[in-house]
Amino acid sequence: MAGKISTYSGEPKWLNPREMAAWRSYIVASRRLLEAMELDLENHDLSMADYEVLALLSDAPGRRLRMSELAEIAMISKSRLSHRMKVMEAAGWVRREECAEDKRGYFAVMTDKGWKAIVKAAPDHVNSVRNRLVDHLTSKDQEDLSKIFNRVTEKLRDQFIKEGASIKK
Amino acid sequence: MAGKISTYSGEPKWLNPREMAAWRSYIVASRRLLEAMELDLENHDLSMADYEVLALLSDAPGRRLRMSELAEIAMISKSRLSHRMKVMEAAGWVRREECAEDKRGYFAVMTDKGWKAIVKAAPDHVNSVRNRLVDHLTSKDQEDLSKIFNRVTEKLRDQFIKEGASIKK
DNA sequence: ATGATTTAGTTGAAAGTTGAATTACTTACA
DNA sequence: TGTAAGTAATTCAACTTTCAACTAAATCAT
């Protein structure tokens, strides 16, 4: 039994112009935005994903997190984190440490060099968030955006729970 | 001379809670949203990018577009399009045709099979746009979203022009 | 305890993406 | 007209991500 049988039946409800405009403006802007922001970070030899990983580590107690937890909150797969860690380890930004309580586990630990790297990158990145997005929004816009996208995340989570229950992972 | 010298100087203007909330809710939702939508399309053996390419072709006169133009409007690189076309060609959805007016050029042409594939996928995809995003927004939300993201795209374009002029491509 | 199952994390191969180099053709202009 | 510069598209090589398989340790059920 592979995946969900989801082939739609019945007349689909096409998007009206307002809906279409919302959807199109959203993806077009998102694509361009992320592209620009990745480019901004390249000056520090970082991708957004790598930045996120370092940022999360720098916030964590002892600047260390278990691999699984890091993958989870960075929203990337365990496998991907493993591979990236190898690269970041080679760059000297992080190192892995065995976990005493659970011998299967490892901690990702931020090194001093990693700390310096993110401290250096952070102002540029904040600047990028501002120049590329936040500063073009009024306070009201910012609040609208939060409300809208928090709702979207919430709905996605609900759907995930419902679908996840029936799809088996 | 590689890239822009952009290392920020002076005290960075950190994000206030409202700004941070807007930014975080936006990226978190976006990541989850795109992930869910890619998954929805997998039932039709399509990625969002491939869907977009087919959708653009299906709308084009004669269901054909020059490679460069297609890459441009699909917002992917020429190189990437070349590679994807090879895959889609193997799947029988598209074929390449020499361009008589400009012998360097090629048309990407949608086949009958490609047409059938997208006609089959489209209702599910619209459904996905609705279930994952549009239907959770009020009409007002939709209008807000359009306004906000159109503005963002516009600003990005302005910046691109300014920066592009000094960076040389 | 002991075997079965789950969980943490890694690995290797395949597939996808990128950017630079390359090929073939077109255009501009002296 | 000939040649330099530009353009269309592909290819190569490096890198990234995914997927499935795997190891090892922990937990669970009897």
Side-chain angles (χ1 to χ4, degrees), chain B residues 10-67:
Chain B
E11 194 48 26
K13 208 182 154 201
W14 301 107
L15 303 179
N16 68 34
R18 180 177 17 76
E19 291 166 336
M20 184 59 98
W23 165 243
R24 291 304 299 175
S25 68
Y26 167 71
I27 24 162
V28 169
S30 289
R31 293 270 280 278
R32 298 276 186 229
L33 177 60
L34 274 319
E35 189 181 40
M37 295 191 58
E38 292 282 1
L39 209 67
D40 289 341
L41 265 179
E42 260 176 35
N43 294 314
H44 295 275
D45 292 303
L46 284 168
S47 65
M48 292 254 273
D50 289 351
Y51 181 92
E52 180 74 7
V53 165
L54 292 183
L56 288 167
L57 280 177
S58 74
D59 266 352
R63 287 177 201 156
R64 67 174 52 221
L65 283 169
R66 286 288 293 272
M67 291 296 284

Side-chain angles (χ1 to χ4, degrees), chain A:
Chain A
M1 196 83 50
K4 185 174 51 148
I5 296 114
S6 78
T7 305
Y8 196 90
S9 62
E11 195 49 26
K13 207 181 156 202
W14 302 107
L15 302 180
N16 67 36
R18 179 177 19 76
E19 292 165 335
M20 184 59 98
W23 165 243
R24 292 304 299 176
S25 67
Y26 167 71
I27 22 162
V28 169
S30 289
R31 293 270 280 277
R32 298 275 186 230
L33 177 60
L34 274 318
E35 188 180 41
M37 296 192 57
E38 292 282 1
L39 210 66
D40 290 340
L41 266 179
E42 261 175 35
N43 294 315
H44 295 275
D45 293 305
L46 284 168
S47 65
M48 292 255 273
D50 289 350
Y51 181 93
E52 180 74 6
V53 165
L54 292 183
L56 288 167
L57 280 178
S58 73
D59 267 352
R63 287 178 202 156
R64 69 174 52 225
L65 282 170
R66 285 290 292 274
M67 292 294 286
S68 288
E69 196 189 348
L70 182 49
E72 173 81 22
I73 60 182
M75 298 193 286
I76 62 180
S77 72
K78 272 133 79 72
S79 168
R80 181 173 168 184
L81 179 59
S82 253
H83 287 299
R84 291 313 299 155
M85 279 292 289
K86 223 174 301 166
V87 175
M88 291 198 258
E89 205 164 19
W93 294 331
V94 292
R95 92 189 110 79
R96 259 174 283 216
E97 245 173 54
E98 296 187 6
C99 172
E101 301 81 56
D102 186 337
K103 294 251 194 83
R104 292 167 304 180
Y106 282 87
F107 285 101
V109 188
M110 168 169 267
T111 62
D112 233 59
K113 191 172 170 192
W115 172 254
K116 277 175 195 144
I118 194 148
V119 163
K120 186 152 167 256
D124 276 346
H125 182 58
V126 179
N127 205 38
S128 174
V129 175
R130 286 200 172 285
N131 291 328
R132 306 305 193 178
L133 177 70
V134 169
D135 282 356
H136 308 133
L137 311 183
T138 65
S139 300
K140 174 69 167 40
D141 287 339
Q142 291 165 13
E143 277 156 19
D144 289 348
L145 214 65
S146 292
K147 242 181 300 179
I148 289 173
F149 283 114
N150 283 333
R151 187 159 67 241
V152 170
T153 297
E154 206 178 291
K155 298 288 183 180
L156 286 168
R157 192 165 16 74
D158 295 350
Q159 293 173 350
F160 180 74
I161 291 164
K162 277 208 202 83
E163 290 168 20
S166 58
I167 288 181
K168 100 141 170 289
K169 205 49 189 304

